[in-house]
Amino acid sequence: MTSATHSQVVSAPGKVFLAGGYLVLDRAYTALVFGLDARIHVHIQSTSKKNNQIIVESPQFRDSRWVYDYSSAEEGVRVVENRTGSLVAGQSNNFVETALSYALNYVTSVQKDFQIQPASVTILADNDYYSQQAASNTSSTASTPRFAHFDTPIWKANKTGLGSSAALVTSLIGAILSFYMPSNDFSIHTDNGKRRLHNLAQAAHCAAQGKVGSGFDVASAVSGSCVYRRFSPSVVENLADASSKGFAESLRKVVEDEGVWDVEITKSKVSIPKGLRLVMCDVDCGSKTPGMVKQVLQWRKQNPQIANSIWDELQATNSRLAAELVSLSKAGSSNDYDKLRDIIQENRKLVRQMSKESNVPIEPEAQTKLLDACSQIKGVIGGVTPGAGGYDAVVLLIEDKAEVVESLRDMLKDYKFEVKDVETVGSGRVGLLRVREEMQGVKEERIEDYSEWIG
């Protein structure tokens, strides 16, 4: 038996598209994805209990405690929620349960005759993942704790769309592997460790959400900011079900088979120049993203010539955007952002064309007005509706100066965001999140920084 490390903390960042929404679904194209400094943090420690249980808690939320029983089975390790011990009013957490199952099955497939020790897990989210605390137009953060208490169950919390599920799955699996496996078998500090974590987190995330997505959010959670080309769906589609015989060994083979993973994650092609930064505006007016994606893909299928023409132009523009950011970074300090502004405007023009042709509100009129208003502020280079677009948020590239941020806050305090659309809900309030770009992906954290939250 291999003994577990006593305690471990692993965190993973959120994400935002600066370019490549929709294109990322097709391997012929790439996306420019930035990690965000809003992180999901997972602490795991051994317990003195002798039962075969892992207890998971999210103390920022009411009644958010899940208890999982684990046992050996013909599939490898069977993980089942113990509803008697959980405090969630019948609400399961599929992402946590699936991540636990996949991680434990992988650990036992690598370490033969390994006995899993009982453990307790604490999950903490930086405040910007949730609108209740995040959408603030005040500059003072003195009264806001690092991890705010939300007076609601976790499943009722209003998310800001920063990629919490991918960051959760990545940090939870990273913590479990780091906790139960010796560093010579697994380490998130090595390229090999990050590669295996990426592959395992992608498989678990797809299983938890019940579909094979593009995987850009997990890639960013593991690697941070990058230019991303998706993996072929068949990589995980052929993976055996978690309840089937021999699942653990099947999972290990998929995770460690470098030949089948045709994903491309390139960090050298992405950068934020010194003197610039990203900011995000959260709009309390949600969109039905899955429906929008489905409509755009259906439009592309029915109109391949015009759709592919727009996508090819967008790919070229997105590549120019990434290249210009890298070029400015290498040049050092610069105040010449005219080319960058032009590229962002060209990107928005093509996105609006796709919106019009597909009849899908990727950059709807209300967002056009918001982006144009923000772009008029001195120091704002430009912005886009990230990812699938819609009414949820905008991301802005601005000069990294306090006065620019304050000017944005002042403008947004009284901004009137009006949408006449039955497919959207919310007050239309626009708030400036406290997030910025994050180049680093998954990482280990100092345990002592979490003492207030760990029981």
PDB file of all heavy atoms in Angstrom, residues 94-105:
ATOM      1  N   ASN A  94     -22.929  16.256 -10.092  1.00  0.00           N
ATOM      2  CA  ASN A  94     -22.436  15.297 -11.071  1.00  0.00           C
ATOM      3  C   ASN A  94     -20.980  15.530 -11.433  1.00  0.00           C
ATOM      4  O   ASN A  94     -20.224  14.576 -11.689  1.00  0.00           O
ATOM      5  CB  ASN A  94     -23.307  15.338 -12.331  1.00  0.00           C
ATOM      6  CG  ASN A  94     -23.096  14.116 -13.218  1.00  0.00           C
ATOM      7  OD1 ASN A  94     -22.982  13.000 -12.715  1.00  0.00           O
ATOM      8  ND2 ASN A  94     -23.039  14.330 -14.520  1.00  0.00           N
ATOM      9  N   PHE A  95     -20.549  16.790 -11.455  1.00  0.00           N
ATOM     10  CA  PHE A  95     -19.159  17.077 -11.813  1.00  0.00           C
ATOM     11  C   PHE A  95     -18.204  16.573 -10.736  1.00  0.00           C
ATOM     12  O   PHE A  95     -17.154  16.001 -11.044  1.00  0.00           O
ATOM     13  CB  PHE A  95     -18.965  18.578 -12.054  1.00  0.00           C
ATOM     14  CG  PHE A  95     -19.551  19.042 -13.352  1.00  0.00           C
ATOM     15  CD1 PHE A  95     -20.779  19.685 -13.377  1.00  0.00           C
ATOM     16  CD2 PHE A  95     -18.887  18.822 -14.552  1.00  0.00           C
ATOM     17  CE1 PHE A  95     -21.330  20.102 -14.582  1.00  0.00           C
ATOM     18  CE2 PHE A  95     -19.428  19.236 -15.763  1.00  0.00           C
ATOM     19  CZ  PHE A  95     -20.659  19.877 -15.772  1.00  0.00           C
ATOM     20  N   VAL A  96     -18.552  16.762  -9.471  1.00  0.00           N
ATOM     21  CA  VAL A  96     -17.723  16.264  -8.378  1.00  0.00           C
ATOM     22  C   VAL A  96     -17.692  14.744  -8.378  1.00  0.00           C
ATOM     23  O   VAL A  96     -16.621  14.125  -8.287  1.00  0.00           O
ATOM     24  CB  VAL A  96     -18.232  16.795  -7.019  1.00  0.00           C
ATOM     25  CG1 VAL A  96     -17.570  16.039  -5.864  1.00  0.00           C
ATOM     26  CG2 VAL A  96     -17.961  18.284  -6.891  1.00  0.00           C
ATOM     27  N   GLU A  97     -18.860  14.121  -8.477  1.00  0.00           N
ATOM     28  CA  GLU A  97     -18.933  12.656  -8.426  1.00  0.00           C
ATOM     29  C   GLU A  97     -18.173  12.015  -9.589  1.00  0.00           C
ATOM     30  O   GLU A  97     -17.427  11.046  -9.406  1.00  0.00           O
ATOM     31  CB  GLU A  97     -20.394  12.208  -8.439  1.00  0.00           C
ATOM     32  CG  GLU A  97     -20.575  10.710  -8.248  1.00  0.00           C
ATOM     33  CD  GLU A  97     -22.017  10.322  -8.013  1.00  0.00           C
ATOM     34  OE1 GLU A  97     -22.823  11.204  -7.637  1.00  0.00           O
ATOM     35  OE2 GLU A  97     -22.338   9.134  -8.195  1.00  0.00           O
ATOM     36  N   THR A  98     -18.326  12.558 -10.773  1.00  0.00           N
ATOM     37  CA  THR A  98     -17.642  11.998 -11.941  1.00  0.00           C
ATOM     38  C   THR A  98     -16.139  12.203 -11.844  1.00  0.00           C
ATOM     39  O   THR A  98     -15.348  11.297 -12.153  1.00  0.00           O
ATOM     40  CB  THR A  98     -18.174  12.631 -13.238  1.00  0.00           C
ATOM     41  OG1 THR A  98     -19.590  12.440 -13.309  1.00  0.00           O
ATOM     42  CG2 THR A  98     -17.529  11.998 -14.465  1.00  0.00           C
ATOM     43  N   ALA A  99     -15.715  13.394 -11.416  1.00  0.00           N
ATOM     44  CA  ALA A  99     -14.282  13.654 -11.263  1.00  0.00           C
ATOM     45  C   ALA A  99     -13.661  12.714 -10.234  1.00  0.00           C
ATOM     46  O   ALA A  99     -12.563  12.173 -10.453  1.00  0.00           O
ATOM     47  CB  ALA A  99     -14.049  15.105 -10.858  1.00  0.00           C
ATOM     48  N   LEU A 100     -14.357  12.487  -9.112  1.00  0.00           N
ATOM     49  CA  LEU A 100     -13.880  11.547  -8.104  1.00  0.00           C
ATOM     50  C   LEU A 100     -13.741  10.148  -8.684  1.00  0.00           C
ATOM     51  O   LEU A 100     -12.718   9.465  -8.498  1.00  0.00           O
ATOM     52  CB  LEU A 100     -14.836  11.509  -6.914  1.00  0.00           C
ATOM     53  CG  LEU A 100     -14.669  12.538  -5.808  1.00  0.00           C
ATOM     54  CD1 LEU A 100     -15.769  12.371  -4.768  1.00  0.00           C
ATOM     55  CD2 LEU A 100     -13.307  12.405  -5.147  1.00  0.00           C
ATOM     56  N   SER A 101     -14.775   9.707  -9.375  1.00  0.00           N
ATOM     57  CA  SER A 101     -14.768   8.357  -9.952  1.00  0.00           C
ATOM     58  C   SER A 101     -13.621   8.172 -10.939  1.00  0.00           C
ATOM     59  O   SER A 101     -12.864   7.196 -10.863  1.00  0.00           O
ATOM     60  CB  SER A 101     -16.113   8.085 -10.642  1.00  0.00           C
ATOM     61  OG  SER A 101     -16.093   6.843 -11.317  1.00  0.00           O
ATOM     62  N   TYR A 102     -13.460   9.104 -11.854  1.00  0.00           N
ATOM     63  CA  TYR A 102     -12.413   8.991 -12.873  1.00  0.00           C
ATOM     64  C   TYR A 102     -11.026   9.066 -12.231  1.00  0.00           C
ATOM     65  O   TYR A 102     -10.115   8.309 -12.598  1.00  0.00           O
ATOM     66  CB  TYR A 102     -12.583  10.077 -13.933  1.00  0.00           C
ATOM     67  CG  TYR A 102     -13.544   9.697 -15.039  1.00  0.00           C
ATOM     68  CD1 TYR A 102     -14.867   9.359 -14.743  1.00  0.00           C
ATOM     69  CD2 TYR A 102     -13.142   9.663 -16.363  1.00  0.00           C
ATOM     70  CE1 TYR A 102     -15.751   9.004 -15.748  1.00  0.00           C
ATOM     71  CE2 TYR A 102     -14.023   9.309 -17.376  1.00  0.00           C
ATOM     72  CZ  TYR A 102     -15.324   8.979 -17.067  1.00  0.00           C
ATOM     73  OH  TYR A 102     -16.197   8.612 -18.062  1.00  0.00           O
ATOM     74  N   ALA A 103     -10.849   9.979 -11.275  1.00  0.00           N
ATOM     75  CA  ALA A 103      -9.539  10.137 -10.649  1.00  0.00           C
ATOM     76  C   ALA A 103      -9.148   8.897  -9.851  1.00  0.00           C
ATOM     77  O   ALA A 103      -8.012   8.412  -9.956  1.00  0.00           O
ATOM     78  CB  ALA A 103      -9.534  11.368  -9.750  1.00  0.00           C
ATOM     79  N   LEU A 104     -10.071   8.374  -9.045  1.00  0.00           N
ATOM     80  CA  LEU A 104      -9.764   7.201  -8.229  1.00  0.00           C
ATOM     81  C   LEU A 104      -9.534   5.961  -9.081  1.00  0.00           C
ATOM     82  O   LEU A 104      -8.664   5.129  -8.770  1.00  0.00           O
ATOM     83  CB  LEU A 104     -10.876   6.962  -7.210  1.00  0.00           C
ATOM     84  CG  LEU A 104     -11.042   8.037  -6.135  1.00  0.00           C
ATOM     85  CD1 LEU A 104     -12.228   7.727  -5.236  1.00  0.00           C
ATOM     86  CD2 LEU A 104      -9.772   8.188  -5.309  1.00  0.00           C
ATOM     87  N   ASN A 105     -10.290   5.819 -10.150  1.00  0.00           N
ATOM     88  CA  ASN A 105     -10.070   4.688 -11.049  1.00  0.00           C
ATOM     89  C   ASN A 105      -8.709   4.784 -11.726  1.00  0.00           C
ATOM     90  O   ASN A 105      -8.017   3.775 -11.897  1.00  0.00           O
ATOM     91  CB  ASN A 105     -11.185   4.610 -12.098  1.00  0.00           C
ATOM     92  CG  ASN A 105     -12.373   3.795 -11.614  1.00  0.00           C
ATOM     93  OD1 ASN A 105     -12.316   2.568 -11.552  1.00  0.00           O
ATOM     94  ND2 ASN A 105     -13.446   4.486 -11.254  1.00  0.00           N
TER      95      ASN A 105
END
